[in-house]
Amino acid sequence: MREAILILDFGGQYTQLIARRIRESGVYSEILPFNTSWETIDERDPGGIVLSGGPQSVFSDDAPHPDPRIYDSPRPILGICYGMQLLAQHFGGSVAPSGEREYGRAQIETLNSNPLFEALPRQLEVWMSHGDRIEELPDGFTGIANSDNALAAMAWPDRGFYGVQFHPEVAHTPKGKEILENFLFKICHCQGDWTMASFTQNAIAGITAQVGSSRVICGLSGGVDSTVTAILIHKTIGDRLTCIFVDNGLLRKDEFQGVLNTFRDALALNVVGVDASQGFLDLLAGVKDPEEKRKIIGREFIRVFESEAKKLGKTEFLAQGTLYPDVIESVSVKGPSAVIKSHHNVGGLPEKMSLRLVEPLRELFKDEVREVGRELGIPENLIERQPFPGPGLAVRIIGDITPARLEILREADWIVDQEIKGAGLYTKIWQSFAILLPIKSVGVMGDNRTYEYVIAIRAIHSRDGMTADWVPLPYEVLGQISNRIVNEVQGVNRVVYDISSKPPSTIEWE
Ligand code: XMP
């Protein structure tokens, strides 16, 4: 059984970060819903359990609680924030709403030597975010750190139970990594042998066991997730994998041929390239509504994919580049979030096609996928590609999609891409791209009045696409992009920069 730390998710905003930090320290970690049964937890034989933070107060009627049997187990537990209050409440301590809500940076002083703070300075800077506080320690526990106005950490070392009121997983707790590592290695006695090389080996064994001698198809998007999925499977079953790469007429400049060449020549994949662009563009003609566009593209994609798959003969499996955040989202305690946009990827396919799924990356975060890609020898330019939405340029042309507008956007987007890369920013930014606005504005070129389209530029930093901050691009880069677009792209006389974050905006404009 693989060594693992389980994180029970009480809905805290940093739960994913806890998992990432633990994995960065070489220990596999998995997030499970807070109410996971003890049987399921025990079956996974975890080296330790983390109770995450959460937005609730332990006093509220609907406060989430774990299966109480975890408290009887010999496995170490680290409660973070809400998790610490759960520990305190369960073992009979008293938790009270704090008059002074602590939020933000705080100094704590560790009180006595104990494994959680081993080899760390006595004064530590930490990130707090809590309303309730522990007034009376539960039996068995001792205080191991204080902040100015609250108990900051407690421990029952004989049982391996620890609670911290602050968030060791965030960057604002500079020694957080060391604190978590003390929990992993000094308290849970983990080995720390989770690496991407070991992941790759296990994934290959897993694919072999799942697929046997069957055939697999994989829809490629040109993005890193589907590429790594395809290479991993190809490494395992060779030419029994067929990849399908569809030109929907909504790709970036030179993308179809470029990506196809790389897949075939550099990666030696068995790829069927399908030019279905006309069909997509015909269906989209005159459609302005963003959701309608997405649905049309999703449906047509399935149709094309299905018809290509039929030509291949008997195929039993469909490979998908599903990542861990997608998996977590479906088990999260936050409940179903409103459909903001109907994202489409090949996810709509299986039901319709009665293919079984192979999803070798479903345990990984994006940065881990990139590392696996490197492990597999995938060229850096493919690994570092910024995400590109399935519906492509269709959601970056506001309103009607016409061949002329596509041409304008492709050229403008190409310039953004070149300039961002030229400035050495491409890999530092989550996404940078152009959007065509369907409005015209007046300009002057030479001695003539012009009346042309507006191009918007968007560049954002993000960790996972769920939230995003706009990037303060250097003025020179913005100036150069603007200059080149109005000079080189016919049909544009104005460039604007999008300075909205997500929320309240979204990353794509449609
Ligand atoms: P939004 O616009 O929802 O985008 O803030 C979040 C991230 O998802 C990408 N995106 C998509 N990816 N199919 C995809 O595969 C889609 O339909 C889709 N729509 C948006 C977007 O580029 C950003 O990275």
Side-chain angles (χ1 to χ4, degrees):
M1 180 73 74
R2 172 170 64 187
E3 148 182 291
I5 295 290
L6 295 187
I7 301 161
L8 297 185
D9 179 16
F10 292 89
Q13 54 177 329
Y14 303 128
T15 305
Q16 280 202 31
L17 260 187
I18 305 173
R20 296 169 64 108
R21 292 288 163 268
I22 293 177
R23 288 183 184 198
E24 280 162 18
S25 298
V27 177
Y28 177 70
S29 69
E30 205 177 319
I31 299 172
L32 293 176
F34 70 91
N35 54 359
T36 304
S37 73
W38 171 248
E39 285 75 15
T40 306
I41 294 172
D42 195 40
E43 205 172 78
R44 285 175 158 75
D45 193 22
I49 298 169
V50 175
L51 309 179
S52 85
Q56 305 263 34
S57 160
V58 286
F59 301 115
S60 65
D61 288 341
D62 52 356
H65 285 273
D67 186 324
R69 287 173 290 173
I70 67 165
Y71 301 119
D72 301 327
S73 109
R75 298 170 210 276
I77 296 179
L78 174 65
I80 296 178
C81 201
Y82 179 81
M84 168 167 167
Q85 285 148 19
L86 282 173
L87 274 174
Q89 196 191 38
H90 178 83
F91 287 103
S94 92
V95 183
S98 167
E100 273 172 87
R101 218 183 117 73
E102 270 195 299
Y103 183 83
R105 281 178 214 283
Q107 290 288 331
I108 62 164
E109 183 169 355
T110 60
L111 301 179
N112 50 28
S113 61
N114 78 82
L116 195 64
F117 297 126
E118 197 175 306
L120 290 174
R122 293 196 80 99
Q123 301 278 344
L124 293 171
E125 189 180 315
V126 300
W127 186 256
M128 291 280 188
S129 166
H130 66 105
D132 300 343
R133 61 191 230 175
I134 292 163
E135 303 248 294
E136 223 174 283
L137 281 164
D139 283 348
F141 282 84
T142 49
I144 55 170
N146 276 342
S147 69
D148 279 349
N149 47 36
L151 176 77
M154 62 179 196
W156 184 354
D158 291 347
R159 294 288 309 271
F161 292 161
Y162 291 79
V164 290
Q165 190 59 81
F166 57 89
H167 290 277
E169 68 277 19
V170 303
H172 303 299
T173 300
K175 293 285 181 197
K177 183 174 194 298
E178 285 84 346
I179 296 171
L180 284 174
E181 289 189 348
N182 279 344
F183 179 67
L184 299 176
F185 302 119
K186 305 269 163 31
I187 297 164
C188 301
H189 305 292
C190 294
Q191 301 297 312
D193 50 10
W194 160 258
T195 61
M196 287 307 109
S198 70
F199 167 84
T200 304
Q201 270 177 5
N202 285 336
I204 289 174
I207 296 166
T208 309
Q210 187 187 3
V211 170
S213 57
S214 306
R215 297 188 61 88
V216 180
I217 50 171
C218 179
L220 292 176
S221 67
V224 64
D225 309 340
S226 62
T227 305
V228 172
T229 302
I231 298 293
L232 206 47
I233 294 178
H234 184 249
K235 214 176 160 65
T236 316
I237 66 167
D239 279 350
R240 277 188 286 127
L241 168 73
T242 307
C243 299
I244 298 178
F245 183 40
V246 178
D247 183 356
N248 55 9
L250 304 163
L251 300 175
R252 291 174 147 174
K253 183 171 170 174
D254 294 342
E255 192 170 17
F256 184 62
Q257 208 47 53
V259 170
L260 210 51
N261 290 346
T262 314
F263 282 137
R264 284 183 180 153
D265 305 340
L267 301 174
L269 283 176
N270 183 6
V271 191
V272 180
V274 187
D275 179 0
S277 51
Q278 201 53 51
F280 278 89
L281 297 184
D282 287 348
L283 288 167
L284 287 168
V287 178
K288 290 189 171 60
D289 178 67
E291 278 301 282
E292 192 54 31
K293 285 182 186 175
R294 285 172 174 275
K295 288 190 179 129
I296 290 173
I297 295 166
R299 278 199 302 266
E300 181 61 3
F301 189 79
I302 291 172
R303 203 196 57 72
V304 172
F305 200 87
E306 242 171 347
S307 98
E308 290 304 315
K310 264 194 206 123
K311 295 181 196 160
L312 296 174
K314 191 168 159 43
T315 302
E316 285 167 46
F317 289 92
L318 171 71
Q320 285 203 149
T322 311
L323 302 193
Y324 196 45
D326 310 325
V327 177
I328 303 172
E329 230 152 70
S330 60
V331 300
S332 153
V333 290
K334 289 175 198 125
S337 50
V339 175
I340 314 265
K341 299 179 185 185
S342 330
H343 280 208
H344 103 268
N345 52 27
V346 267
L349 290 170
E351 239 176 276
K352 303 212 161 215
M353 302 179 66
S354 66
L355 287 167
R356 279 181 287 160
L357 284 181
V358 196
E359 298 177 308
L361 308 182
R362 56 184 284 124
E363 291 178 338
L364 301 188
F365 290 108
K366 190 109 184 167
D367 45 351
E368 293 176 320
V369 172
R370 292 197 159 116
E371 240 181 278
V372 172
R374 292 192 181 99
E375 196 64 43
L376 293 166
I378 296 173
E380 202 58 25
N381 63 339
L382 271 186
I383 289 179
E384 288 294 357
R385 286 190 98 188
Q386 294 180 354
F388 185 65
L393 299 182
V395 291
R396 295 181 180 171
I397 294 177
I398 311 307
D400 276 345
I401 299 160
T402 64
R405 287 180 175 186
L406 273 168
E407 182 58 24
I408 291 175
L409 182 57
R410 275 201 184 103
E411 292 304 319
D413 184 69
W414 174 251
I415 291 171
V416 175
D417 200 60
Q418 284 182 332
E419 292 302 324
I420 294 284
K421 282 179 179 155
L425 295 170
Y426 184 81
T427 54
K428 301 194 173 105
I429 291 176
W430 175 268
Q431 270 173 305
S432 42
F433 55 90
I435 304 106
L436 184 141
L437 310 190
I439 49 167
K440 293 195 169 181
S441 78
V442 176
V444 54
M445 251 186 190
D447 292 329
N448 293 324
R449 173 186 190 272
T450 59
Y451 188 55
E452 313 270 33
Y453 284 122
V454 180
I455 287 284
I457 308 297
R458 184 127 171 89
I460 51 106
H461 287 308
S462 177
R463 199 184 286 279
D464 48 19
M466 304 294 287
T467 59
D469 292 316
W470 62 276
V471 179
L473 283 180
Y475 283 161
E476 310 81 70
V477 176
L478 283 171
Q480 178 71 5
I481 289 174
S482 165
N483 245 335
R484 283 195 58 195
I485 291 179
V486 289
N487 283 310
E488 295 174 32
V489 183
Q490 274 210 351
V492 179
N493 66 359
R494 193 176 296 272
V495 175
V496 296
Y497 191 46
D498 180 350
I499 52 167
S500 358
S501 294
K502 172 183 179 177
S505 300
T506 53
I507 296 175
E508 305 292 344
W509 278 40
E510 284 198 339

